[in-house]
Amino acid sequence: MWESILNSKSHRAQRIISDPKRMERLAKDSFSLLRGKKNFSEVQSEAVLLINMVKDTVQGRYKGLGKKNALMIVAGLLYLVNPMDIIPDFIFGIGFGDDLGVLVYVISRLSEEIARYRQWKKPQEEQVETPDLEGYTVIEDCLLYTSDAAD
């Protein structure tokens, strides 16, 4: 069932992948929806990773995601942000159930891809620029400028 839903969105997903502005808008809309719904709390981190993975792929930073899988992610996000899907989102209590189902399906289908992306992303997140503190002294957790240049 979920496969046919995603296939129905694939043509539109292809147009979005080829348009960076539309891709960015879809990512922002998806982030907003995920952040605001308690129903998604269990899959939120994986869904955010999916969004970042497809963004990094579209922007050329990540080369490990194939086009078919990128389209699957974008199609899933399109389904997520569409309020009038199989079960309209405004139906209290169950409206986001089908959206959650699509996300869980995409996450489970791409679990190995997600793991590879996580490994690729990890070193980038660990890189922290060390600030240039020459001329400063730490006194009780505060920085004090002590350069002799002012003399």
Side-chain angles (χ1 to χ4, degrees):
M1 176 175 119
W2 300 128
E3 188 76 30
S4 62
I5 288 171
L6 294 172
N7 285 337
S8 72
K9 304 271 183 207
S10 66
H11 183 68
R12 191 162 167 227
Q14 221 164 358
R15 287 195 317 256
I16 287 175
I17 281 180
S18 63
D19 183 343
K21 287 182 181 178
R22 291 177 74 187
M23 185 64 228
E24 186 63 32
R25 179 70 186 165
L26 178 62
K28 285 180 181 179
D29 290 347
S30 300
F31 280 130
S32 295
L33 265 169
L34 289 168
R35 212 173 333 126
K37 304 289 182 255
K38 287 191 300 185
N39 308 20
F40 295 111
S41 62
E42 290 183 25
V43 298
Q44 191 171 32
S45 64
E46 296 296 294
V48 167
L49 207 58
L50 281 177
I51 295 167
N52 287 326
M53 182 167 49
V54 79
K55 279 180 60 179
D56 282 341
T57 298
V58 168
Q59 294 170 353
R61 290 189 297 262
Y62 181 64
K63 308 283 187 209
L65 183 65
K67 186 172 183 174
K68 180 182 173 188
N69 290 337
L71 287 171
M72 181 188 303
I73 294 169
V74 172
L77 296 176
L78 283 169
Y79 191 83
L80 172 69
V81 300
N82 181 4
M84 298 304 291
D85 39 39
I86 292 176
I87 303 173
D89 294 348
F90 61 83
I91 298 177
F92 183 74
I94 62 169
F96 287 100
D98 57 330
D99 299 341
L100 185 61
V102 166
L103 278 179
V104 169
Y105 175 78
V106 171
I107 289 166
S108 67
R109 286 283 310 271
L110 300 179
S111 61
E112 290 177 22
E113 294 276 353
I114 292 169
R116 281 193 291 274
Y117 176 73
R118 186 176 276 123
Q119 288 300 326
W120 175 83
K121 190 88 170 158
K122 190 175 184 176
Q124 295 175 16
E125 292 172 349
E126 291 173 353
Q127 291 178 0
V128 177
E129 287 187 32
T130 306
D132 180 12
L133 297 178
E134 186 175 327
Y136 287 85
T137 305
V138 176
I139 300 175
E140 296 181 24
D141 295 329
C142 296
L143 284 177
L144 177 66
Y145 188 68
T146 58
S147 176
D148 293 328
D151 293 335

